[in-house]
Amino acid sequence: MKEAVFALCVACGAASSALAFPDGAPWGMDPAEGCNQCHFDGDMVAPSTALAVDGLPERPLPGHRYRLHIGFEAPDAALRGMAVRMLYEDGAPAGKLKAVTSAVEAQGNMGRSQETADQGWAFEWTAPQDMGQKDADRRAIMVHLWGNAANGDGSPFGDQIHHRIIPLNGSSKGSAKRP
């Protein structure tokens, strides 16, 4: 599959940088591959300590709203972009994200940057109602973060993709704090 995508990029990319996604990551991106779906030129940095979220509780309350701030430290990047998805461990959507600044946009359980932001990006996350009230019934939520440390040439080549997963609710306690 990657070979077919590569051939398409080589055939079309030489004449135009239109293959890049200037509006951000595609809404239907595969949670397993994230930004590496389109920026496949190098190995993904995973788990990346360059990505962090402030405002995530270890054990969110059903239906509660949380203000999240996503940071991405990539000092050598010409441009930076990011995407976030809130998923249950089985891949089902977990709650809803809402854009709280013009630097981001959100659709359902996914958010993405619309512009590079030196101070990071902010969202409001509404935790799902169906995550379980009792500890024994709690469903694990996985916060998938991707960052694109782009070289600024508008192509899918030469960018460094970062990925981090932060678990919530489950038996494994992931750190949501900045590393």
Side-chain angles (χ1 to χ4, degrees):
M1 178 65 181
K2 285 186 179 181
E3 292 83 10
V5 173
F6 178 76
L8 177 64
C9 288
V10 170
C12 300
S16 168
S17 64
L19 288 176
F21 290 95
D23 294 329
W27 290 115
M29 70 187 233
D30 179 352
E33 291 197 45
C35 298
N36 254 31
Q37 236 175 296
C38 299
H39 299 272
F40 46 80
D41 191 27
D43 292 333
M44 183 175 3
V45 178
S48 176
T49 58
L51 291 160
V53 180
D54 291 327
L56 273 177
E58 265 190 49
R59 302 188 66 76
L61 300 172
H64 192 77
R65 291 184 183 144
Y66 299 92
R67 177 80 179 240
L68 308 180
H69 182 269
I70 298 172
F72 178 36
E73 294 181 19
D76 296 335
L79 298 169
R80 291 177 302 123
M82 74 83 213
V84 58
R85 288 200 68 183
M86 310 298 277
L87 298 168
Y88 282 116
E89 207 166 19
D90 64 4
K96 234 180 153 149
L97 288 165
K98 177 182 169 187
V100 295
T101 70
S102 63
V104 297
E105 59 185 344
Q107 193 176 90
N109 69 322
M110 182 179 166
R112 66 185 186 189
S113 58
Q114 283 203 210
E115 57 190 60
T116 195
D118 292 334
Q119 301 303 313
W121 302 273
F123 293 94
E124 180 182 273
W125 175 55
T126 303
Q129 291 287 351
D130 65 345
M131 63 190 193
Q133 299 288 334
K134 299 177 184 171
D135 282 347
D137 298 331
R138 289 238 170 197
R139 295 175 70 189
I141 295 173
M142 311 307 272
V143 181
H144 287 263
L145 297 170
W146 293 274
N148 181 1
N151 62 11
D153 71 358
S155 80
F157 302 106
D159 301 334
Q160 182 66 67
I161 302 304
H162 294 253
H163 184 226
R164 182 175 181 192
I165 300 172
I166 300 169
L168 304 175
N169 276 351
S171 57
S172 60
K173 297 198 179 200
S175 174
K177 297 178 182 159
R178 292 187 170 277

